[in-house]
Amino acid sequence: MVNDQNSRVAVITGAGGGLGVHIAHRFAAEGYTTVLVGRTESTLRKAVESGPDGGDMHPWAGDVADLAAVTALMDGVAERFGRLDVLVNNAGLARPGTVESTTEDAYRAMMSVNVDGVFFASRAALPHLRAVRGCIVNIGSVGGMRGDWTQAAYNATKGAVANLTNAMALDHGWEIRVNAVHPGVTTSHEEIRTALAEGTPLRDRFDDRVPMGRPGDPAEVAAVVAFLAGSDASYVNGAHIAVDGGLTASNGQTDLFH
């Protein structure tokens, strides 16, 4: 435990699984009072139980896409812990499909979580963040900076998160900082670890495109999120950091001379 954050309070949305668990664990390890938000209390409790020894972690069930519910949640966190310093908008949903093949239900679900959730959670947290000159870190995606095959709706939502980050950094930079982290593929889910196992054809194709030749570790993303939330990033506002092994440095063409 590194208790150097002076009891700062961080809320991590989508913290019941995947990347969100790793982000929450990183904040808890750095001494934050860490509130894990998600729709299912049981998964949040498992995330707390697997956290770092001595971590001050609290599950808090709620729906970030419901403005009234997420407003009550942020108000409740601030009342219980006396402040709110950091909001990490990590909750996200991905469903494959083109403009033609994506169902309306899948489209609405992704828009609700990925866009409404960021917008509403930020709106709800802003009065409390303003009081302590806190910050927001939005979890975007390289899919919001470049296109993916069969991810039309997901790419649209993450593109919206990227430009919403810009707008909030302009509108609120005098009182809070707002930045975004854009991960590439990370081994945050078992299905990804299986699909990208060493020696598989998909892994070979993946490594050919990524300069560092591997998928990311979720802890590597969490470290960048923690940096942006901390005092060392005190003059960083409106930044977009790709954590993708150099993928977005490329024009997409494979190495013609290798």
Side-chain angles (χ1 to χ4, degrees), residues 54-120:
D56 187 15
M57 305 177 72
H58 305 268
W60 204 302
D63 183 357
V64 295
D66 181 324
L67 179 57
V70 76
T71 299
L73 187 156
M74 296 298 175
D75 290 349
V77 168
E79 180 178 2
R80 177 173 175 182
F81 300 108
R83 58 191 294 153
L84 174 56
D85 298 86
V86 180
L87 168 63
V88 179
N89 281 312
N90 170 74
L93 180 65
R95 296 286 184 268
T98 68
V99 168
E100 288 182 303
S101 65
T102 302
T103 67
E104 182 177 353
D105 285 347
Y107 173 81
R108 296 295 178 193
M110 283 185 275
M111 286 291 175
S112 177
V113 175
N114 299 0
V115 181
D116 294 355
V118 174
F119 194 100
F120 291 158

Side-chain angles (χ1 to χ4, degrees), residues 6-242:
N6 298 318
S7 299
R8 296 178 75 204
V9 178
V11 169
I12 318 298
T13 71
L19 184 57
V21 173
H22 296 270
I23 295 172
H25 289 177
R26 174 65 186 240
F27 275 78
E30 293 202 358
Y32 288 82
T33 295
T34 307
V35 178
L36 289 77
V37 174
R39 290 179 174 176
T40 307
E41 176 116 15
S42 59
T43 59
L44 295 173
R45 292 197 175 279
K46 289 180 182 178
V48 169
E49 291 168 2
S50 64
D53 291 341
D56 187 15
M57 305 177 72
H58 305 268
W60 204 302
D63 183 357
V64 295
D66 181 324
L67 179 57
V70 76
T71 299
L73 187 156
M74 296 298 175
D75 290 349
V77 168
E79 180 178 2
R80 177 173 175 182
F81 300 108
R83 58 191 294 153
L84 174 56
D85 298 86
V86 180
L87 168 63
V88 179
N89 281 312
N90 170 74
L93 180 65
R95 296 286 184 268
T98 68
V99 168
E100 288 182 303
S101 65
T102 302
T103 67
E104 182 177 353
D105 285 347
Y107 173 81
R108 296 295 178 193
M110 283 185 275
M111 286 291 175
S112 177
V113 175
N114 299 0
V115 181
D116 294 355
V118 174
F119 194 100
F120 291 158
S122 299
R123 179 173 177 170
L126 189 58
H128 308 295
L129 296 171
R130 179 186 293 123
V132 295
R133 300 192 65 83
C135 68
I136 295 173
V137 182
N138 292 326
I139 306 302
S141 168
V142 294
M145 305 170 75
R146 305 282 193 276
D148 295 299
W149 281 278
T150 66
Q151 291 286 356
Y154 178 76
N155 284 175
T157 64
K158 289 302 186 177
V161 170
N163 216 21
L164 179 57
T165 300
N166 293 335
M168 290 196 294
L170 293 174
D171 291 338
H172 306 290
W174 60 276
E175 52 191 355
I176 70 169
R177 298 181 299 107
V178 185
N179 296 291
V181 173
H182 299 283
V185 173
T186 65
T187 55
S188 55
H189 295 279
E190 181 61 34
E191 56 267 29
I192 296 176
R193 291 191 289 271
T194 300
L196 292 178
E198 291 278 0
T200 61
L202 180 58
R203 176 60 182 269
D204 291 342
R205 296 203 309 274
F206 182 90
D207 290 354
D208 182 58
R209 298 288 180 173
V210 177
M212 292 183 69
R214 63 173 177 83
D217 187 298
E220 294 173 310
V221 179
V224 177
V225 177
F227 162 73
L228 287 173
S231 59
D232 286 344
S234 59
Y235 198 55
V236 181
N237 183 47
H240 297 264
I241 301 180

